[in-house]
Amino acid sequence: MNLETNPVVPPEKKRRSKRRTDLRRVSDEARFFRTWLRRPLVMGAVSPSSKALGRAMAGYVPDPTQFDERSMVLELGPGTGVVTQCLIERGVPESSLHLVEYSEEFCVLLRARFPKAKVTHGDAYQVAAEIERHADGRRLEAVVSGLPLFTKPDLQREIVVGAPLARMAAGRPFIQFSYALTLPVKPARIGATIETSPWIKRNLPPARVLVYRKN
Protein backbone atom coordinates (compact mmCIF):
# COMPACT_ATOMS: atom_id res chain seq x y z
CA MET A 1 0.00 0.00 0.00
CA ASN A 2 1.41 3.39 -1.00
CA LEU A 3 0.89 6.23 1.42
CA GLU A 4 1.41 9.80 0.19
CA THR A 5 3.20 11.90 2.77
CA ASN A 6 4.45 15.46 2.73
CA PRO A 7 8.24 15.58 2.70
CA VAL A 8 9.79 16.80 5.91
CA VAL A 9 11.83 19.95 5.32
CA PRO A 10 14.86 20.13 7.61
CA PRO A 11 14.83 23.16 9.95
CA GLU A 12 18.13 24.45 8.54
CA LYS A 13 16.71 24.42 5.00
CA LYS A 14 13.66 26.36 6.21
CA ARG A 15 15.94 28.91 7.87
CA ARG A 16 18.02 29.32 4.68
CA SER A 17 14.85 29.80 2.61
CA LYS A 18 13.56 32.41 5.06
CA ARG A 19 16.90 34.23 4.99
CA ARG A 20 16.82 34.35 1.18
CA THR A 21 13.26 35.73 1.27
CA ASP A 22 14.23 38.34 3.86
CA LEU A 23 17.31 39.39 1.90
CA ARG A 24 15.29 39.73 -1.31
CA ARG A 25 12.70 41.87 0.49
CA VAL A 26 15.38 44.15 1.97
CA SER A 27 17.09 44.39 -1.42
CA ASP A 28 13.81 45.32 -3.14
CA GLU A 29 13.02 47.93 -0.51
CA ALA A 30 16.48 49.51 -0.86
CA ARG A 31 16.17 49.52 -4.67
CA PHE A 32 12.68 51.01 -4.47
CA PHE A 33 13.78 53.73 -2.03
CA ARG A 34 16.76 54.70 -4.20
CA THR A 35 14.47 55.06 -7.21
CA TRP A 36 11.98 57.09 -5.17
CA LEU A 37 14.75 59.47 -4.11
CA ARG A 38 15.59 60.10 -7.79
CA ARG A 39 11.97 60.43 -9.00
CA PRO A 40 9.50 60.86 -6.09
CA LEU A 41 6.59 62.04 -8.24
CA VAL A 42 6.98 59.07 -10.59
CA MET A 43 7.16 56.47 -7.82
CA GLY A 44 4.52 57.84 -5.46
CA ALA A 45 5.61 55.46 -2.66
CA VAL A 46 8.86 54.92 -0.77
CA SER A 47 8.59 51.12 -0.54
CA PRO A 48 6.99 48.25 -2.49
CA SER A 49 3.39 47.30 -1.86
CA SER A 50 2.86 44.70 0.84
CA LYS A 51 1.78 41.14 0.11
CA ALA A 52 -1.51 41.87 1.88
CA LEU A 53 -2.25 44.73 -0.51
CA GLY A 54 -1.10 42.68 -3.50
CA ARG A 55 -3.39 39.79 -2.61
CA ALA A 56 -6.31 42.16 -2.11
CA MET A 57 -5.77 43.70 -5.55
CA ALA A 58 -5.31 40.31 -7.23
CA GLY A 59 -8.52 39.08 -5.65
CA TYR A 60 -10.56 41.48 -7.82
CA VAL A 61 -9.22 40.02 -11.08
CA PRO A 62 -11.86 37.85 -12.80
CA ASP A 63 -11.57 34.07 -12.53
CA PRO A 64 -8.34 33.19 -14.40
CA THR A 65 -9.62 29.69 -15.17
CA GLN A 66 -11.89 31.39 -17.72
CA PHE A 67 -8.94 33.02 -19.53
CA ASP A 68 -7.68 31.81 -22.90
CA GLU A 69 -4.64 32.56 -25.05
CA ARG A 70 -6.13 35.94 -26.07
CA SER A 71 -6.62 37.12 -22.49
CA MET A 72 -4.45 39.92 -21.12
CA VAL A 73 -4.06 41.52 -17.71
CA LEU A 74 -2.34 44.89 -17.87
CA GLU A 75 -0.31 46.00 -14.85
CA LEU A 76 0.67 49.67 -14.73
CA GLY A 77 3.64 50.54 -12.55
CA PRO A 78 4.51 47.05 -11.22
CA GLY A 79 7.71 48.23 -9.52
CA THR A 80 9.64 45.21 -8.24
CA GLY A 81 6.76 42.80 -8.93
CA VAL A 82 5.08 42.26 -5.55
CA VAL A 83 1.58 42.58 -7.01
CA THR A 84 2.67 40.72 -10.14
CA GLN A 85 3.59 37.69 -8.04
CA CYS A 86 0.22 37.89 -6.29
CA LEU A 87 -1.52 37.88 -9.68
CA ILE A 88 0.35 34.70 -10.62
CA GLU A 89 -0.54 33.13 -7.27
CA ARG A 90 -4.16 34.07 -7.99
CA GLY A 91 -3.88 31.90 -11.13
CA VAL A 92 -3.27 34.50 -13.84
CA PRO A 93 -0.95 32.87 -16.40
CA GLU A 94 2.39 34.66 -16.55
CA SER A 95 2.09 34.77 -20.35
CA SER A 96 -1.16 36.76 -19.98
CA LEU A 97 0.59 39.59 -18.14
CA HIS A 98 1.67 42.84 -19.78
CA LEU A 99 3.75 44.90 -17.35
CA VAL A 100 4.44 48.57 -18.08
CA GLU A 101 7.16 50.13 -15.95
CA TYR A 102 8.91 53.52 -16.16
CA SER A 103 12.10 52.49 -14.34
CA GLU A 104 14.59 50.76 -16.61
CA GLU A 105 16.22 49.11 -13.56
CA PHE A 106 12.88 47.63 -12.51
CA CYS A 107 12.23 46.41 -16.06
CA VAL A 108 15.45 44.39 -15.98
CA LEU A 109 14.36 42.91 -12.65
CA LEU A 110 10.83 42.14 -13.90
CA ARG A 111 12.12 40.38 -17.03
CA ALA A 112 14.35 38.18 -14.89
CA ARG A 113 11.59 37.33 -12.42
CA PHE A 114 8.74 36.93 -14.92
CA PRO A 115 10.33 35.77 -18.20
CA LYS A 116 7.01 34.71 -19.77
CA ALA A 117 5.36 38.10 -19.19
CA LYS A 118 5.57 40.98 -21.65
CA VAL A 119 7.50 43.84 -20.02
CA THR A 120 7.35 47.29 -21.60
CA HIS A 121 9.74 50.03 -20.54
CA GLY A 122 7.79 53.26 -20.92
CA ASP A 123 5.21 55.71 -19.64
CA ALA A 124 2.31 53.74 -18.18
CA TYR A 125 0.05 56.81 -18.37
CA GLN A 126 0.63 56.99 -22.12
CA VAL A 127 0.10 53.24 -22.62
CA ALA A 128 -3.19 53.36 -20.72
CA ALA A 129 -4.36 56.36 -22.74
CA GLU A 130 -3.53 54.56 -26.01
CA ILE A 131 -4.58 51.10 -24.87
CA GLU A 132 -6.01 50.06 -28.25
CA ARG A 133 -2.58 50.38 -29.86
CA HIS A 134 -0.81 48.47 -27.08
CA ALA A 135 -3.28 45.61 -26.61
CA ASP A 136 -1.88 43.66 -29.58
CA GLY A 137 -5.36 42.44 -30.47
CA ARG A 138 -5.75 40.66 -27.12
CA ARG A 139 -8.79 40.82 -24.85
CA LEU A 140 -8.25 43.00 -21.80
CA GLU A 141 -9.57 41.14 -18.74
CA ALA A 142 -8.38 43.59 -16.06
CA VAL A 143 -6.08 46.51 -15.37
CA VAL A 144 -4.09 46.55 -12.12
CA SER A 145 -2.54 49.91 -11.33
CA GLY A 146 0.07 51.08 -8.84
CA LEU A 147 0.34 54.51 -10.45
CA PRO A 148 0.41 57.61 -8.21
CA LEU A 149 -2.64 59.16 -9.87
CA PHE A 150 -2.82 62.17 -7.55
CA THR A 151 0.42 63.52 -9.06
CA LYS A 152 -1.45 64.09 -12.35
CA PRO A 153 -4.19 66.57 -13.38
CA ASP A 154 -7.83 65.48 -13.18
CA LEU A 155 -8.22 65.04 -16.95
CA GLN A 156 -5.17 62.79 -17.24
CA ARG A 157 -6.41 60.62 -14.36
CA GLU A 158 -9.78 60.25 -16.06
CA ILE A 159 -8.13 59.20 -19.32
CA VAL A 160 -5.85 56.66 -17.61
CA VAL A 161 -8.81 54.94 -15.93
CA GLY A 162 -11.47 55.62 -18.54
CA ALA A 163 -9.62 54.58 -21.71
CA PRO A 164 -8.99 50.94 -20.64
CA LEU A 165 -12.53 50.68 -19.20
CA ALA A 166 -13.98 51.79 -22.55
CA ARG A 167 -12.18 48.87 -24.22
CA MET A 168 -13.08 46.21 -21.64
CA ALA A 169 -16.31 44.24 -21.43
CA ALA A 170 -18.86 45.49 -18.92
CA GLY A 171 -17.98 44.43 -15.40
CA ARG A 172 -14.25 44.02 -16.08
CA PRO A 173 -12.23 45.93 -13.46
CA PHE A 174 -9.70 48.72 -13.34
CA ILE A 175 -8.02 48.01 -9.99
CA GLN A 176 -6.16 50.85 -8.29
CA PHE A 177 -4.76 51.24 -4.80
CA SER A 178 -4.75 54.52 -2.93
CA TYR A 179 -3.56 55.95 0.37
CA ALA A 180 -6.00 58.88 0.13
CA LEU A 181 -9.44 59.40 1.64
CA THR A 182 -10.74 60.93 -1.60
CA LEU A 183 -11.15 59.18 -4.94
CA PRO A 184 -8.55 59.95 -7.64
CA VAL A 185 -11.28 59.74 -10.31
CA LYS A 186 -14.97 60.38 -9.73
CA PRO A 187 -16.77 57.41 -11.29
CA ALA A 188 -19.57 59.52 -12.77
CA ARG A 189 -17.00 61.42 -14.84
CA ILE A 190 -16.05 58.26 -16.76
CA GLY A 191 -19.39 56.44 -16.73
CA ALA A 192 -18.27 53.88 -14.16
CA THR A 193 -19.16 52.43 -10.80
CA ILE A 194 -16.77 52.21 -7.87
CA GLU A 195 -16.16 49.55 -5.23
CA THR A 196 -13.75 50.10 -2.33
CA SER A 197 -12.08 47.60 -0.05
CA PRO A 198 -11.58 48.00 3.69
CA TRP A 199 -8.34 49.72 4.67
CA ILE A 200 -5.39 47.35 4.58
CA LYS A 201 -3.56 48.30 7.74
CA ARG A 202 -0.70 45.85 7.22
CA ASN A 203 0.45 47.99 4.31
CA LEU A 204 2.74 50.93 5.07
CA PRO A 205 1.13 53.40 4.88
CA PRO A 206 -2.36 51.86 5.12
CA ALA A 207 -4.05 51.66 1.72
CA ARG A 208 -7.30 50.54 0.19
CA VAL A 209 -8.24 49.06 -3.16
CA LEU A 210 -10.49 50.98 -5.57
CA VAL A 211 -12.23 49.01 -8.30
CA TYR A 212 -13.76 50.90 -11.24
CA ARG A 213 -16.14 49.10 -13.60
CA LYS A 214 -17.93 50.35 -16.71
CA ASN A 215 -21.66 50.91 -16.30
Side-chain angles (χ1 to χ4, degrees):
M1 179 173 62
N2 293 326
L3 296 177
E4 291 188 6
T5 59
N6 293 324
V8 177
V9 179
E12 181 56 33
K13 188 173 181 180
K14 287 183 179 179
R15 286 193 292 269
R16 285 198 300 269
S17 177
K18 184 178 186 301
R19 281 197 295 269
R20 284 194 297 269
T21 300
D22 290 344
L23 286 171
R24 172 171 164 170
R25 182 169 61 248
V26 171
S27 176
D28 282 358
E29 288 174 354
R31 186 181 288 110
F32 207 96
F33 185 62
R34 285 199 310 271
T35 306
W36 178 83
L37 286 174
R38 292 195 297 268
R39 295 187 294 268
L41 292 181
V42 172
M43 296 296 293
V46 298
S47 63
S49 300
S50 69
K51 272 284 195 180
L53 178 58
R55 292 189 189 104
M57 296 179 77
Y60 287 101
V61 172
D63 181 4
T65 63
Q66 303 302 310
F67 289 7
D68 58 30
E69 65 278 358
R70 291 186 58 246
S71 296
M72 182 178 82
V73 173
L74 177 67
E75 187 178 359
L76 305 174
T80 59
V82 173
V83 178
T84 312
Q85 183 60 43
C86 291
L87 290 170
I88 292 170
E89 291 171 4
R90 158 84 168 138
V92 177
E94 191 175 309
S95 58
S96 294
L97 292 171
H98 183 179
L99 316 177
V100 184
E101 174 55 49
Y102 188 81
S103 165
E104 189 170 2
E105 179 183 0
F106 288 173
C107 284
V108 172
L109 189 70
L110 292 166
R111 290 187 182 107
R113 290 182 175 172
F114 310 106
K116 295 179 182 178
K118 178 179 179 180
V119 178
T120 296
H121 173 223
D123 185 347
Y125 293 93
Q126 194 67 32
V127 170
E130 300 177 356
I131 186 61
E132 193 66 42
R133 183 164 67 85
H134 293 277
D136 300 325
R138 301 177 75 182
R139 185 174 59 254
L140 191 56
E141 305 286 4
V143 178
V144 180
S145 170
L147 299 177
L149 293 181
F150 280 106
T151 64
K152 301 296 182 181
D154 288 350
L155 180 58
Q156 191 168 3
R157 298 182 215 166
E158 291 168 8
I159 292 172
V160 165
V161 180
L165 281 179
R167 190 183 187 279
M168 286 191 279
R172 289 314 200 214
F174 186 106
I175 305 161
Q176 172 75 42
F177 80 83
S178 178
Y179 306 125
L181 294 172
T182 57
L183 298 176
V185 176
K186 295 179 180 178
R189 296 277 301 176
I190 56 173
T193 61
I194 185 75
E195 178 182 355
T196 61
S197 77
W199 287 95
I200 299 164
K201 297 177 181 177
R202 284 181 290 169
N203 197 72
L204 187 65
R208 60 178 176 164
V209 182
L210 313 176
V211 185
Y212 292 89
R213 292 186 174 90
K214 183 168 61 178
N215 283 331

